Amino acid sequence: MDADLAAFSLVSAFTLVAALATVLTRKLFSSALLLAATLVGVAFVFLTLGAEFLFIVQILVYVGAIVTLILFAIMFTHGAALEEDRSPAHDWVKALLCVLLLGGLVLTITRIGPWLSETPQQESWPGLASGLFDTWVFPFELLSILLLGALVGALYLSAKERRTQEDDA
Amino acid sequence: MIPLVAYVGLSMALLAIGLYGLLLAKNAIKVLVCVELLLNAAHINFAAAASYHQNTDGLVFVLFGIAIAAAESAVGIAIFLNLYRQRGTANVTAANALKG
């Protein structure tokens, strides 16, 4: 077992354990923090593929922004955090369903994939910027409009209710 | 070197875990957390396939996916905050106003 494979095994084991803990923990707050750990694990998976830029974006946007947003949402609905304790921590029927889906996926993919045993290239990516700003520049600009629209919409949704509450009071 | 099957396997396992959480979750924020797990499973697949083909399009798609996930969670959390204000709970089963 060479060093690359050892590092990948470590990172993927960490990611899977953190993901399982995210799903199975009963406390909402620990669930969000464990999600951050899972996302850091996925970022290191990107690093093993040589995609350093994705590593940085994953840390900045996912761990930095989305997890913070989720933590704020938990704090704003902190009474709801207590409710999670009453929901079941484990359900064998649903677990069986997911294991069956996983088995089906494994069967299907191993049947169609002679390419599976080959190794991806683990080099840096000089063409990423030209791909992003040349081939995909129009979707990229559309995405900025989508982000702006979504954020203004989110602001409107959460501010409107507060205004009516002030009117009621 | 790491075979491609390792990345696909990791992605499938993450997908199954996220789906299990999605089926289990009652709290709306927990649902959002599990959706993020599912998205990350897809992102690993994209990045591994891009790496295998030495084609940057897969990586660009992951970047787009991350940006869309950010937009999705912002709007989702705004909706959940409204649900919490109107129903006093973030339980997804409380959103039953359109139930026949």
Side-chain angles (χ1 to χ4, degrees), chain A residues 2 4-5 8 12 16 19-20 22-25 28 31 35 38-39 42 45-46 48-49 53-54 57-58 61-62 66 69-70 73-74 76-77 79-80 83-84 87-91 94-95 97-98 101-102 105-106 109 115-122 125 127-128 132 136 139-140 143 146-147 150-151 154 157-158 161 165, chain B residues 1-10 12-27 29-30 32-34 36-37 39-40 43-45 47-48 50-52 54-75 77-82 84-86 88-91:
Chain A
D2 56 322
D4 276 345
L5 197 58
F8 176 78
S12 54
L16 287 181
L20 259 182
T22 304
V23 164
L24 292 181
T25 184
L28 203 53
S31 182
L35 174 73
T38 315
L39 296 175
V42 173
V45 170
F46 289 150
T48 64
L49 285 166
F53 186 63
L54 278 191
V57 169
Q58 173 92 2
V61 178
Y62 254 119
I66 296 182
L69 203 62
I70 289 174
I74 293 171
F76 281 136
T77 62
E83 274 171 40
E84 186 65 16
S87 81
H90 203 54
D91 186 327
K94 288 168 182 171
L97 203 68
C98 291
L101 175 93
L102 184 64
L105 277 175
V106 168
I109 290 174
W115 37 268
L116 278 175
S117 57
E118 293 177 44
T119 56
Q121 310 275 321
Q122 271 120 9
W125 299 73
L128 181 58
L132 188 58
W136 298 101
F140 181 77
L143 197 65
L146 172 84
L147 262 179
L151 292 179
L157 271 179
S158 40
E161 188 59 31
Q165 274 180 352
Chain B
M1 296 308 262
I2 308 152
L4 191 59
V5 68
Y7 289 100
V8 177
L10 174 64
M12 285 191 296
L14 207 54
L15 181 95
I17 292 172
L19 191 68
Y20 178 54
L22 199 60
L23 291 175
L24 214 57
K26 293 273 194 297
N27 190 297
I29 296 166
K30 189 76 174 271
L32 201 65
V33 166
C34 295
E36 302 298 344
L37 286 182
L39 283 171
N40 269 276
H43 288 170
I44 290 174
N45 243 345
S51 186
Y52 171 71
Q54 276 296 291
N55 188 337
T56 51
D57 288 355
L59 296 192
V60 175
F61 272 40
V62 175
L63 288 177
F64 286 179
I66 290 175
I68 290 171
E72 165 250 323
S73 52
V75 175
I77 283 172
I79 292 171
F80 297 156
L81 279 182
N82 271 331
Y84 176 67
R85 281 170 184 156
Q86 291 186 359
T89 169
N91 197 321

Side-chain angles (χ1 to χ4, degrees), chain A residues 136-157:
Chain A
W136 298 101
V137 68
F138 186 62
F140 181 77
E141 296 297 337
L142 276 182
L143 197 65
S144 63
I145 297 173
L146 172 84
L147 262 179
L148 183 68
L151 292 179
V152 172
L155 208 62
Y156 175 73
L157 271 179

